[in-house]
Amino acid sequence: MRDKVVLITGGAGGIGQAAAKLFLNEGAKVVLVDINESSLAKAKESLTDNPENVGIIQADVTKEEDVKKYVQETVDQFGRIDVFFNNAGINGPVAEITDLDKDTFEQIMSINVTGVFLGLKHVLQQMKKQGHGRVINTASNAAYIGSAGMVGYIASKHAVAGITKTAALETAPLGIRVNAVAPAAIDTQMLQDIQNNLTPGEPEKSGEALKQGIPVGRFGAPDEVAQIVRFLASDEASFVHGALYNVDGGMQAD
Ligand SMILES: NC(=O)c1ccc[n+]([C@@H]2O[C@H](COP(=O)([O-])OP(=O)(O)OC[C@H]3O[C@@H](n4cnc5c(N)ncnc54)[C@H](O)[C@@H]3O)[C@@H](O)[C@H]2O)c1
């Protein structure tokens, strides 16, 4: 990954930061995009002793102007985009279909689906000019299953799987590879929010119940997702295209 330029959305979050750390350790230049400005600044401080290798850009992935801005600023700063980790996402509240308001549903779809689409639209334009690039979208175990109380998230991650396959077919002849990771139960702020939502004030209670549904009996670490993202970004994955890679402690096997 030496001198590769890696762009990561949701870069101030748990999985985004773990990926940034891994790529930086291998000598890449990394640009973190996130809506949360203070988390971005903290992430930059904690990530590396070489701040010149890290860019941070505050942007909302649902706004096309912001997406154009993060693509342009990355190219201005580092000259190109070799790897795009299209990863920003939210979970949304736990509520059954009959109780979920339209605005909340649309907000989840906007970040998890429109954000992924817009990122691809503008990053792929740049990668087409370059004649190379690697994209990894963040899908989820939720791309395969239903889950009561999670309609927005489930619908959005099914959509990310479809977008990944479509983008892979459109870029196959162009030297660009597009794949997705499909994590489940990774120990980040998102998972902590889900636990607090399920058993308010007693997150460990729902945490234990959730672990019982994971064949390996534990949550995953963000770095365990980052390792697969790194693999999909590398030449070792040269014939992997349009794939969803599960990182879920065996949940899909169950
Ligand atoms: N943690 C898990 O168990 C798990 C499982 C499956 C999939 N995922 C997916 O992994 C990805 C990363 O999640 P995470 O677990 O690191 O959670 P996280 O909450 O730590 O990180 C998500 C990041 O996305 C950012 N974000 C949210 N809305 C944004 C917007 N409109 N524009 C720009 N940035 C925005 C947040 O500020 C946050 O920093 C998400 O797509 C999530 O759906 C997570």
Side-chain angles (χ1 to χ4, degrees), residues 138-191:
T138 303
S140 168
N141 185 45
Y144 306 106
I145 59 167
S147 180
M150 302 275 288
V151 65
Y153 192 72
I154 293 285
S156 72
K157 293 299 183 179
H158 275 68
V160 172
I163 291 171
T164 301
K165 292 172 196 169
T166 302
L169 294 177
E170 290 180 4
T171 57
L174 305 176
I176 299 167
R177 284 195 290 102
V178 182
N179 291 290
V181 277
I186 307 300
D187 199 3
T188 67
Q189 187 60 48
M190 181 177 285
L191 189 60

Side-chain angles (χ1 to χ4, degrees), residues 7-72:
L7 173 62
I8 302 177
T9 67
I15 293 172
Q17 278 199 55
K21 194 170 173 190
L22 193 57
F23 283 112
L24 282 165
N25 284 344
E26 295 199 2
K29 320 235 185 262
V30 172
V31 176
L32 305 177
V33 171
D34 205 285
I35 200 165
N36 188 328
E37 200 159 16
S38 60
S39 302
L40 272 177
K42 273 189 220 143
K44 176 164 177 160
E45 242 181 64
S46 70
L47 270 172
T48 179
D49 298 333
N50 300 317
E52 70 278 6
N53 288 344
V54 185
I56 52 173
I57 301 171
Q58 195 273 337
D60 180 344
V61 297
T62 68
K63 298 196 172 127
E64 190 155 18
E65 283 314 306
D66 282 21
V67 175
K68 285 184 189 166
K69 177 186 80 169
Y70 77 61
V71 171
Q72 192 55 52

Side-chain angles (χ1 to χ4, degrees), residues 1-7 20 22-31 50 52-54 74-75 77-83 130 132 230 233:
M1 292 298 147
R2 180 147 302 280
D3 291 330
K4 297 280 189 237
V5 179
V6 182
L7 173 62
L22 193 57
F23 283 112
L24 282 165
N25 284 344
E26 295 199 2
K29 320 235 185 262
V30 172
V31 176
N50 300 317
E52 70 278 6
N53 288 344
V54 185
T74 302
V75 175
Q77 188 173 0
F78 291 121
R80 60 187 192 282
I81 301 168
D82 297 304
V83 177
Q130 299 169 177
H132 76 90
R230 185 236 168 261

Side-chain angles (χ1 to χ4, degrees), residues 84-87 116 120 134-141 143-144 157-168 177-183 225 228-233 240-247:
F84 179 41
F85 184 25
N86 198 4
N87 166 70
V116 166
L120 277 170
R134 314 279 176 251
V135 177
I136 301 95
N137 296 323
T138 303
S140 168
N141 185 45
Y144 306 106
K157 293 299 183 179
H158 275 68
V160 172
I163 291 171
T164 301
K165 292 172 196 169
T166 302
R177 284 195 290 102
V178 182
N179 291 290
V181 277
V225 182
I228 301 306
V229 174
R230 185 236 168 261
F231 165 68
L232 291 171
V240 182
H241 193 54
L244 267 68
Y245 261 65
N246 303 337
V247 190

Side-chain angles (χ1 to χ4, degrees), residues 183-231:
I186 307 300
D187 199 3
T188 67
Q189 187 60 48
M190 181 177 285
L191 189 60
Q192 285 155 30
D193 291 346
I194 294 172
Q195 291 172 66
N196 274 315
N197 220 318
L198 289 168
T199 48
E202 294 178 293
E204 57 296 330
K205 210 169 165 180
S206 48
E208 282 317 307
L210 287 170
K211 282 178 195 165
Q212 282 172 21
I214 305 170
V216 301
R218 66 170 177 86
F219 292 150
D223 182 61
E224 292 177 295
V225 182
Q227 295 285 351
I228 301 306
V229 174
R230 185 236 168 261
F231 165 68

Side-chain angles (χ1 to χ4, degrees), residues 109-123:
M109 296 302 275
S110 178
I111 296 169
N112 294 7
V113 182
T114 309
V116 166
F117 158 72
L118 287 174
L120 277 170
K121 176 177 172 183
H122 293 284
V123 171

Side-chain angles (χ1 to χ4, degrees), residues 93-105 108 150-152:
V94 177
E96 291 196 1
I97 294 169
T98 45
D99 301 325
L100 188 68
D101 64 85
K102 179 170 170 274
D103 287 350
T104 307
F105 179 79
I108 300 166
M150 302 275 288
V151 65

